[in-house]
């Protein structure tokens, strides 16, 4: 096992705290380690994600309100607050996105607002962690996170074997292997992150003796998470684990002058390898390991398809070319996908038609949504961070074990971001912001001249803004939860008028306005189906078309095509047919 010679704490210059460190720890404990295992249940319209978002966002918002109040009341002198460069650039991006609707073709205001609060929550998590998190408490977060991931693997096993009939707290997806994350690659990423963290705890310790009970518990978790990782068959997650763990070992070996080896480190590393190989063989014989090998073989033999992402990435490139300077707007990649794909297929007619909400590469998606300027800021910031990291490693700078963990986790997450969408799941993205804060305290400059705060009012103004937006976020999300219940009541109501009134009431809440608008359109169509009322049918079509203009999706596309075909509206049919799958046109038009 490897241990630090001395418990090294990064020096934090602040005299005053933005937030009590225990309160911050408790907020992070909830937001980081609980959401992935939560299934909201059938009582909610957004049955998978809503309670995940609540548990992830609410503690961060409360912590932000606390810190904002302190900044507003105490100002610069009492807090001695300094802003570091990475956080300042991140804050600048928030301001940039705030005014983006002035030039970007935003069509869905609810989407933009939700994504803005998402991005702001990542920054405030980074900001608070950087200034006030106690590194000694990291191991507690890792244990709780590992237990969450282990529980998700158990849930996935029950789903796969169709043993979840009466288990209301597990996502009802028999035959799938997704746990309560809701998607195979996202379960793979979460398990990979926590397998990495458990492996870190297995090899490294902060100091002091670790009880045998905890060591054996960690070994059991390592077996369970390794088994789960192979069974997800997620190539991106498995490769990301290899990258993150490799960076951890390489960085630690480079900095060996600052750590001491207590004999069994290589044996433990070999044991980790044995666990991974043993569980792989086990999954091949008794699980889904064979499916993983088939997918890996397909990736190697069909390189040109890039894991069936070639058409998606070609569409992303087309979208960027269509809006290179303005971008399509934060959160609007998905609402521009059909349009960009139509243009892409003109250039690459042999590519596969598909509909997806994500670019399956977070950098591509960021360029598409923010344009060239936003993309270059991200590249510049990332390049600077990599340069500072390389300089710290090459100069053998003394880093804490917590910083080593953070470096490895960041490489894991960002490698996964090249293939999937970790930054669009708040329960995973918060870990990225948290890890950046941990390591940036030690490898990045504390400040530059342009980041220094020279006026007391600047701290108070920033604190006031943080407080206001935190409270606004809390109340907006609370309203969204109320509206979600209204939508559930509407869908269960047998009285069409009552259902419509409930949906219209839900539509008044901005955060779910688009969801309610879609349900109202389908409400009129369903009502017309049973009543035969042509006015209801026309109203439903018009409302669905209005919704489609804001948030184009394949389901609504085909519904409108068939409706216009039945109505004999050739003009509207021709305006939509170009978005459809070319291979389905004959069936549609016959």
């Amino acid at each position: 096992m490897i241990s630090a010679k001395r418990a090294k704490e990064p020096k934090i210059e602040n005299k005053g705290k933005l937030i009590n460190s225990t309160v911050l720890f408790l907020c992070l404990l909830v937001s980081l380690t609980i959401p992935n295992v939560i299934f909201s249940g059938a009582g909610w319209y957004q049955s998978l994600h809503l309670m995940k978002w609540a548990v992830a966002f609410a503690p961060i918002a409360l912590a932000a309100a606390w810190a904002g109040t302190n900044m507003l009341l105490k100002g610069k002198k009492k807090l001695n607050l300094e802003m570091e460069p990475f956080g300042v650039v991140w804050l600048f991006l928030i301001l940039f996105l705030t005014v983006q609707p002035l030039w970007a073709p935003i069509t869905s205001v609810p989407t933009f607002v939700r994504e803005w609060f998402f991005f702001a929550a990542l920054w405030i998590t980074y900001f608070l962690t950087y200034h006030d998190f106690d590194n000694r408490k990291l191991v507690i977060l890792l244990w709780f996170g590992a237990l969450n991931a282990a529980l998700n693997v158990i849930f996935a096993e029950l789903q796969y074997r169709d043993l979840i009939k009466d288990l209301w707290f597990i996502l009802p997806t028999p035959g799938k292997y997704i746990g309560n994350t809701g998607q195979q690659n996202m379960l793979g990423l979460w398990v990979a992150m926590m397998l990495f963290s458990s492996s870190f705890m297995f090899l490294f310790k902060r100091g002091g003796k670790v009880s045998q009970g905890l060591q054996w518990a960690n070994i059991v978790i390592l077996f369970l998470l390794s088994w789960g990782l192979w069974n997800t068959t997620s190539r991106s997650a498995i490769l990301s684990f290899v990258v993150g763990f490799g960076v951890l070992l390489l960085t630690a070996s480079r900095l060996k002058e600052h750590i001491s080896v207590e004999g069994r480190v290589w044996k433990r590393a070999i044991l980790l390898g044995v666990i991974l190989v043993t569980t792989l063989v086990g999954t091949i014989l008794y699980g889904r390991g064979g499916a993983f090998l088939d997918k890996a073989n397909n990736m190697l033999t069909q390189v040109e398809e890039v894991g069936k992402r070639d058409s998606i990435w070609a569409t992303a490139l087309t979208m960027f070319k269509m809006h290179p300077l303005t971008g399509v707007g934060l959160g609007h990649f998905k609402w521009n996908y059909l349009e960009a794909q139509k243009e892409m297929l003109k250039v690459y007619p042999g590519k596969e038609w598909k509909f997806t909400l994500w670019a399956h590469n977070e950098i591509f998606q960021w360029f598409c949504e923010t344009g060239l300027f936003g993309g270059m800021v991200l590249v510049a910031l990332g390049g600077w961070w990599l340069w500072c990291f390389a300089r710290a490693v090459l100069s053998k700078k003394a880093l804490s074990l917590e910083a080593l963990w953070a470096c490895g986790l960041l490489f894991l997450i960002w490698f996964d971001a090249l293939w999937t969408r970790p930054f669009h799941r708040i329960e995973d993205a918060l870990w990225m912001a948290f890890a950046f804060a941990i390591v940036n305290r030690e490898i990045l400059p504390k400040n530059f001249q342009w980041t220094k705060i020279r006026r007391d009012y600047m701290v108070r103004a920033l604190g006031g803004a943080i407080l206001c937006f935190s409270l606004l976020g809390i109340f907006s999300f609370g309203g969204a939860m109320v509206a979600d219940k209204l939508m559930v009541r509407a869908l269960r109501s047998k009285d069409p008028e009552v259902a419509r009134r409930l949906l219209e009431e839900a539509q008044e809440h901005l955060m779910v306005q688009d969801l309610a608008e879609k349900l109202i359109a389908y409400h009129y169509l369903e009502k017309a189906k049973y009543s035969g009322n042509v006015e209801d049918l026309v109203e439903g079509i018009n409302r669905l078309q209005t919704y489609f203009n804001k948030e184009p999706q394949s389901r609504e596309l085909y519904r409108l095509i068939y409706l216009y075909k039945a109505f004999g509206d050739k003009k509207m049919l021709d305006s939509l047919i170009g978005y459809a799958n070319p291979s389905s046109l004959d069936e549609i038009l016959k």
Side-chain angles (χ1 to χ4, degrees):
M1 182 178 289
I2 297 176
S3 65
K5 289 181 178 178
R6 183 180 300 173
K8 182 184 184 318
E9 283 295 325
K11 184 178 179 182
I12 301 175
E13 302 294 339
N14 292 11
K15 292 180 181 177
K17 286 184 174 293
L18 299 176
I19 182 173
N20 179 277
S21 59
T22 300
V23 173
L24 176 61
F25 165 73
L26 292 174
C27 289
L28 291 172
L29 180 66
V30 174
S31 292
L32 293 174
T33 69
I34 295 179
N36 262 305
V37 82
I38 290 178
F39 168 54
S40 305
W44 299 93
Y45 176 69
Q46 302 171 84
S47 59
L48 175 61
H49 294 297
L50 191 67
M51 291 309 298
K52 289 182 186 294
W53 296 335
V55 174
F57 279 120
I60 296 300
L62 292 173
W66 181 313
T69 301
N70 271 339
M71 293 169 67
L72 180 63
L73 297 179
K74 295 181 179 180
K76 173 178 170 56
K77 293 183 180 179
K78 290 185 179 180
L79 293 176
N80 192 31
L81 179 67
E82 293 292 348
M83 297 288 289
E84 45 77 39
F86 193 92
V88 170
V89 176
W90 199 335
L91 180 60
F92 167 76
L93 283 174
I94 293 177
L95 299 177
F96 167 75
L97 293 172
T98 302
V99 297
Q100 190 190 25
L102 296 177
W103 59 79
I106 302 296
T107 58
S108 173
V109 174
T111 297
F112 179 84
V113 172
R114 290 193 297 263
E115 295 287 341
W116 187 94
F117 274 108
F118 185 111
F119 194 69
L122 297 184
W123 178 80
I124 197 65
T125 300
Y126 171 85
F127 180 64
L128 297 180
T129 301
Y130 184 94
H131 287 284
D132 288 324
F133 181 73
D134 182 352
N135 275 2
R136 293 171 297 182
K137 296 176 180 177
L138 173 65
V139 67
I140 302 175
L141 297 180
L142 300 187
W143 268 105
F144 274 86
L147 290 171
N148 177 311
L151 196 56
N152 255 309
V153 170
I154 294 173
F155 288 175
E157 290 290 331
L158 294 173
Q159 289 168 329
Y160 182 61
R161 290 165 172 76
D162 196 10
L163 300 174
I164 55 175
K165 182 177 181 181
D166 298 318
L167 302 178
W168 55 267
F169 51 87
I170 300 179
L171 183 64
T173 52
K176 302 290 186 180
Y177 201 95
I178 58 179
N180 276 354
T181 65
Q183 204 268 340
Q184 186 170 278
N185 280 332
M186 292 299 99
L187 175 62
L189 171 62
W190 177 234
V191 173
M193 289 167 58
M194 291 304 107
L195 177 59
F196 167 83
S197 298
S198 293
S199 300
F200 166 81
M201 292 190 290
F202 185 62
L203 291 179
F204 300 85
K205 69 185 182 72
R206 213 177 190 284
K209 188 175 182 180
V210 179
S211 72
Q212 283 194 341
L214 284 178
Q215 292 188 49
W216 280 109
N218 198 15
I219 291 175
V220 172
I221 288 175
L222 286 171
F223 268 102
L224 187 56
L225 296 184
S226 299
W227 175 273
L229 182 61
W230 295 120
N231 273 322
T232 66
T233 73
S234 173
R235 295 162 294 185
S236 58
I238 292 168
L239 289 174
S240 297
F241 170 77
V242 173
V243 169
F245 193 64
V247 168
L248 174 68
L249 292 181
L250 289 173
T251 306
S253 64
R254 180 68 184 174
L255 305 179
K256 60 185 178 181
E257 295 178 5
H258 306 293
I259 56 179
S260 58
V261 179
E262 296 183 351
R264 296 180 296 172
V265 59
W266 297 114
K267 291 182 180 179
R268 286 175 177 261
I270 292 172
L271 179 57
L272 281 172
V274 170
I275 291 173
L276 288 168
V277 172
T278 301
T279 51
L280 173 59
V281 173
T283 57
I284 292 173
L285 295 175
Y286 305 107
R288 289 158 48 88
F292 164 69
L293 294 180
D294 289 340
K295 291 173 68 175
N297 180 63
N298 288 339
M299 184 174 66
L300 295 174
T301 57
Q302 301 175 24
V303 178
E304 69 281 357
E305 292 186 0
V306 202
K308 297 192 179 297
R309 289 165 173 79
D310 56 325
S311 66
I312 299 174
W313 290 356
T315 299
L317 177 61
T318 303
M319 190 185 301
F320 176 72
K321 289 180 178 179
M322 294 170 68
H323 304 275
L325 298 180
T326 64
V328 298
L330 184 65
H332 278 59
F333 177 89
K334 49 185 170 286
W335 308 143
N336 286 265
Y337 190 86
L338 288 173
E339 180 70 35
Q341 182 171 238
K342 182 176 73 171
E343 298 303 315
M344 182 274 292
L345 290 174
K346 294 177 182 178
V347 181
Y348 306 104
K351 293 292 184 184
E352 181 185 4
W353 185 97
K354 60 180 64 177
F355 178 73
T356 178
L357 301 177
W358 323 105
H360 294 274
N361 181 300
E362 295 286 19
I363 297 175
F364 290 173
Q365 184 150 344
W366 179 260
F367 266 90
C368 288
E369 293 186 351
T370 65
L372 184 62
F373 178 76
M376 292 309 298
V377 171
L378 176 67
V379 170
L381 186 62
W384 179 60
W385 187 92
L386 286 172
W387 181 78
C388 290
F389 167 74
R391 187 177 62 173
V393 173
L394 293 175
S395 65
K396 299 183 179 181
K397 182 177 181 179
L399 299 179
S400 67
L401 291 178
E402 292 79 9
L404 295 183
W405 166 84
C407 289
L409 187 74
L410 286 170
F411 274 91
L412 186 159
I413 294 174
W414 276 91
F415 184 83
D416 188 84
L418 299 177
W419 314 97
T420 61
R421 52 185 178 89
F423 305 154
H424 287 82
R425 296 295 288 265
I426 189 65
E427 56 269 31
D428 298 325
L430 285 174
W431 282 90
M432 177 200 67
F434 176 73
F436 264 130
I438 295 295
V439 69
N440 286 2
R441 296 195 290 199
E442 302 184 37
I443 70 170
L444 298 189
K446 298 299 180 185
N447 55 61
F448 292 129
Q449 284 297 321
W450 54 273
T451 67
K452 290 184 177 180
I453 299 177
R454 294 177 172 83
R455 296 288 185 270
D456 182 75
Y457 74 83
M458 296 174 70
V459 172
R460 295 184 188 274
L462 179 59
I466 291 173
L467 174 61
C468 290
F469 281 109
S470 299
L471 295 177
L472 179 61
I474 291 171
F475 287 119
S476 297
F477 193 85
M481 296 182 74
V482 172
D484 192 283
K485 284 294 187 182
L486 290 173
M487 290 187 287
V488 171
R489 288 173 54 195
L491 293 175
R492 292 176 178 176
S493 176
K494 296 181 180 181
D495 186 329
E497 292 306 312
V498 172
R500 179 182 57 79
R501 189 167 62 250
L502 290 170
L503 290 174
E504 289 175 346
E505 187 177 344
Q507 192 179 8
E508 296 175 2
H509 297 269
L510 178 61
M511 287 289 195
V512 295
Q513 190 177 76
D514 50 344
L515 299 179
E517 184 176 358
K518 177 173 69 172
L519 290 179
I520 291 173
Y522 279 110
H523 168 80
Y524 276 102
L525 293 175
E526 195 69 15
K527 183 180 176 184
K529 178 180 177 181
Y530 289 100
S531 68
N533 189 314
V534 177
E535 291 183 358
D536 285 337
L537 179 59
V538 172
E539 182 71 15
I541 294 174
N542 290 337
R543 285 178 177 268
L544 192 61
Q545 181 67 57
T546 299
Y547 170 76
F548 179 82
N549 292 340
K550 297 176 183 178
E551 300 184 0
Q553 298 179 69
S554 59
R555 180 191 176 193
E556 283 67 47
L557 169 66
Y558 282 101
R559 185 67 182 270
L560 285 168
I561 285 175
Y562 283 113
L563 286 169
Y564 288 132
K565 179 185 175 184
F567 240 74
D569 193 331
K570 189 175 184 304
K571 181 180 178 182
M572 291 303 299
L573 181 62
D574 290 343
S575 70
L576 295 177
I577 206 72
Y579 297 112
N581 186 345
S583 64
S584 67
L585 291 182
D586 290 341
E587 182 181 348
I588 292 173
L589 297 176
K590 69 180 180 180

